[in-house]
Amino acid sequence: MNINGKTKLIGLIGNPLEHTLSPFIHNKISQLLNQNVIYLPFLVENDLDLAIKGGFELQVLGFNITIPYKNQIIQSLVDIDSSASEIGAVNTLVRSKDKKGYKGYNTDFLGLKRQLFEDSISLKDKTVVVLGAGGASKAVVYLSCLEGASKIYILNRTFSNAEKLATKLSQVFSNKNDYKTIIPLSFNEYDKIVENHLVVFQATSVGMFPNISNLIIKEKMFYQKIEIGIDLIYNPANTKFMKMVEENGGKAYNTLKMLLYQGVISYELWNDIRVPKEVIDDVFLELKRNLYPKDNIILIGFMGSGKSSVGRELAIKNNMKFIDTDTYIEKMEGMSISDIFSKKGEKYFRNLERSILDKFNELSTNTVFATGGGMPLHSENASLLKELGTVFYLKASSKVIYERIRYSHHRPLLHCKEPYQKIYNLMNNRNSLYEKASDVMIDTNENNINETIKKINDYLKK
Ligand code: NAP
């Protein structure tokens, strides 16, 4: 990035900050939107108010505020958004031009709201259970009230904190003549919840990496009542709480999307712009790849580019498993790819590709995948492939490809009058899509498998 005299600065204030993902999210958005804005972490150990005053003098455009300052920061603001004030927590500061200071917002609850909307989860008339009564729980309980939950239970280790939160938010909503039933309990009183089909938010830090086998409530009976379980933890991707929900018949979600959306909404407030969906999708994909890196290798490219032969050898050399996606589909369907195309149609085949990618993403590690030539051409598949591992585009010229495959009879796309011309045209159309879907391009014109494997392994070592 080109930092110059016009570069604007946004900061993150908290303590500690070592594991934050926010700089990654915001700097990636700036990069994709070509905005001259940088986002930096500022560790504040003592004087929060002084840090904010200094930031204002230094023309800092805005801040994110994280643990332990989301509540304390309110005293240093010149203005506060009404929702943030009702929640009692602020995570975003926006420079106010006329008031000589910053206005505070809470984008955590807005980020959660956007995730729930996207995942088609409605809280209306539902019984909501919130495990925890800290900063995140405040946003969850507030949103549940706004979205029309019929009853909300707050369960917490320290009962008095659950009680305080229940009292405060009951008061907020009764002041608006919108009366809410919010019941505080201790964790061991979960059996007082008589309702079924619960929506449960796990909003404590229990179960977070590296202590991934820890769980707040262990009894199966509790999980059998859960229809939807949402963990405020996103690392690991599939928490123990989520596993318990799923094993007992419920649907489970983590909240990496909430994290991203609270960031996007802050970014929009600071820069007075709308972040387009394509940018959000790109950042989300990169975020997942950073947080949950996978050790699979994916080979993409045109037919005849060497995906299967290189893949097989590479797997042996690296002591990995090998899957050829076309062979996998042929076995699954009990017929050849040509027959699937002619008997069931291309659309049916593409749906199969999509569904096996979902499955591989859940289950596969330490595997080399050689993919069908058309698989990465669909943007959804391309994202799933990048999630699955590091993607290598094996590239050869149309002449080389033609020479390699001209005598093969099992390629439905070559059953035409002028196969070379067809290869040439298809490759022209596909090249940019393969490039976009890959992390790195490897030239395979020389057709030297060992050389290709060496290039792949050299890249992975880096
Ligand atoms: P917080 O204000 O420190 O609150 C922590 C909560 O967890 C309190 O209710 C605390 O109970 C409880 N707790 C902590 N350790 C416990 C233990 N060993 N046993 C039982 N209960 C325990 O933290 P927070 O800001 O609410 O964050 C909670 C979680 O949400 C964190 O994992 C955080 O990363 C996550 N979060 C995610 C997002 C997102 O965008 N996805 C946003 C915000 C937060 P006591 O009251 O008894 O201390």
Side-chain angles (χ1 to χ4, degrees):
M1 136 166 233
N2 182 22
I3 296 175
N4 55 30
K6 290 184 187 158
T7 304
K8 295 194 179 108
L9 178 60
I10 297 168
L12 168 67
I13 284 182
N15 184 14
L17 290 177
E18 283 90 354
H19 300 296
T20 176
L21 292 167
S22 293
F24 175 82
I25 293 174
H26 292 285
N27 289 321
K28 189 82 200 167
I29 299 176
S30 287
Q31 182 201 335
L32 292 172
L33 291 177
N34 213 5
Q35 293 272 318
N36 194 356
V37 180
I38 58 166
Y39 184 102
L40 293 174
F42 294 122
L43 182 78
V44 172
E45 287 181 326
N46 299 310
D47 198 331
L48 178 65
D49 193 55
L50 188 63
I52 296 301
K53 286 196 173 106
F56 190 82
E57 275 310 303
L58 294 171
Q59 306 298 318
V60 176
L61 197 60
F63 290 98
N64 271 145
I65 306 294
T66 187
I67 289 174
Y69 299 127
K70 285 187 184 184
N71 182 274
Q72 190 189 329
I73 189 68
I74 293 174
Q75 296 154 24
S76 304
L77 302 174
V78 291
D79 196 2
I80 185 164
D81 171 70
S82 58
S83 296
S85 164
E86 288 168 355
I87 294 169
V90 161
N91 76 325
T92 302
L93 267 52
V94 178
R95 198 176 171 83
S96 108
K97 286 182 188 94
D98 42 348
K99 290 186 179 160
K100 294 263 171 263
Y102 292 96
K103 177 171 178 177
Y105 294 84
N106 185 306
T107 67
D108 280 337
F109 95 96
L110 293 171
L112 179 59
K113 183 176 171 172
R114 193 152 162 187
Q115 162 163 2
L116 295 185
F117 177 75
E118 197 165 280
D119 290 336
S120 305
I121 299 170
S122 167
L123 302 181
K124 179 125 186 67
D125 300 327
K126 302 295 289 185
T127 304
V128 170
V129 178
V130 183
L131 306 180
S137 303
K138 286 181 186 171
V140 173
V141 177
Y142 182 75
L143 182 65
S144 304
C145 291
L146 275 189
E147 299 285 294
S150 57
K151 195 188 261 189
I152 300 159
Y153 291 94
I154 305 172
L155 278 62
N156 198 40
R157 173 178 63 181
T158 313
F159 174 76
S160 59
N161 289 345
E163 205 174 24
K164 245 185 261 164
L165 179 54
T167 309
K168 175 174 169 167
L169 285 177
S170 301
Q171 188 67 55
V172 164
F173 282 87
S174 64
N175 287 347
K176 303 179 192 188
N177 292 327
D178 184 5
Y179 297 94
K180 300 290 175 192
T181 311
I182 309 178
I183 301 166
L185 295 173
S186 306
F187 287 134
N188 58 13
E189 292 179 299
Y190 72 86
D191 53 356
K192 290 194 177 159
I193 302 171
V194 291
E195 293 82 358
N196 289 307
H197 306 293
L198 306 174
V199 178
V200 179
F201 290 90
Q202 196 303 114
T204 75
S205 41
V206 176
M208 190 155 65
F209 182 84
N211 304 311
I212 59 172
S213 52
N214 292 356
L215 192 63
I216 282 287
I217 296 175
K218 296 183 181 64
E219 288 72 11
K220 223 174 155 184
M221 196 185 121
F222 174 66
Y223 293 92
Q224 285 164 344
K225 288 163 155 276
I226 301 180
E227 185 177 311
I228 292 172
I230 300 155
D231 203 325
L232 272 276
I233 292 173
Y234 46 77
N235 190 15
N238 197 8
T239 62
K240 178 91 178 160
F241 169 79
M242 289 166 64
K243 286 180 192 156
M244 289 293 281
V245 170
E246 279 172 344
E247 278 165 24
N248 288 285
K251 278 192 92 175
Y253 302 80
N254 72 28
T255 46
L256 189 63
K257 273 190 204 160
M258 169 185 174
L259 177 81
L260 173 63
Y261 286 140
Q262 61 76 28
V264 167
I265 297 164
S266 299
Y267 195 95
E268 291 179 338
L269 283 168
W270 294 318
N271 295 289
D272 201 17
I273 53 167
R274 188 119 192 93
V275 181
K277 182 171 180 328
E278 311 83 75
V279 170
I280 298 175
D281 289 347
D282 280 359
V283 179
F284 190 50
L285 177 62
E286 288 305 315
L287 193 59
K288 277 193 278 187
R289 297 186 87 201
N290 258 291
L291 198 58
Y292 320 128
K294 296 217 175 109
D295 56 3
N296 301 308
I297 296 174
I298 296 95
L299 307 180
I300 65 168
F302 203 72
M303 62 178 94
S305 59
K307 293 164 296 187
S308 300
S309 39
V310 169
R312 217 170 280 116
E313 286 297 314
L314 178 64
I316 294 170
K317 200 160 203 151
N318 289 12
N319 199 16
M320 297 170 82
K321 286 169 274 174
F322 174 67
I323 293 178
D324 181 308
T325 61
D326 279 352
T327 313
Y328 188 93
I329 290 176
E330 284 178 335
K331 270 198 196 147
M332 205 167 89
E333 290 292 290
M335 63 175 96
S336 69
I337 300 288
S338 304
D339 281 350
I340 299 175
F341 265 74
S342 62
K343 292 185 180 149
K344 301 197 168 176
E346 181 170 353
K347 192 167 175 219
Y348 178 82
F349 178 73
R350 298 294 169 214
N351 284 340
L352 282 180
E353 285 189 319
R354 165 76 222 269
S355 68
I356 62 165
L357 281 181
D358 278 335
K359 188 169 150 196
F360 293 151
N361 255 315
E362 266 178 44
L363 304 174
S364 300
T365 58
N366 198 40
T367 304
V368 179
F369 291 90
T371 60
M375 191 184 253
L377 305 176
H378 305 267
S379 63
E380 213 173 336
N381 286 352
S383 297
L384 288 168
L385 286 170
K386 275 202 177 168
E387 246 179 79
L388 189 57
T390 311
V391 184
F392 294 87
Y393 170 20
L394 304 191
K395 188 175 178 182
S397 73
S398 44
K399 274 198 180 127
V400 168
I401 294 284
Y402 179 61
E403 287 307 321
R404 282 184 197 161
I405 64 174
R406 59 189 298 190
Y407 300 115
S408 97
H409 298 293
H410 64 282
R411 314 261 188 194
L413 284 171
L414 294 183
H415 298 162
C416 64
K417 267 192 186 155
E418 293 186 41
Y420 174 72
Q421 195 56 41
K422 182 144 188 206
I423 290 172
Y424 179 85
N425 292 343
L426 275 173
M427 284 182 71
N428 254 354
N429 291 340
R430 291 182 177 187
N431 187 44
S432 61
L433 293 170
Y434 285 143
E435 276 178 9
K436 190 158 183 255
S438 62
D439 293 297
V440 62
M441 197 268 287
I442 309 270
D443 185 334
T444 69
N445 276 315
E446 294 295 316
N447 202 17
N448 180 334
I449 292 183
N450 285 335
E451 189 54 33
T452 304
I453 289 174
K454 185 175 176 312
K455 285 183 194 163
I456 291 172
N457 280 336
D458 284 350
Y459 178 85
L460 291 171
K461 269 184 219 142
K462 266 196 272 165

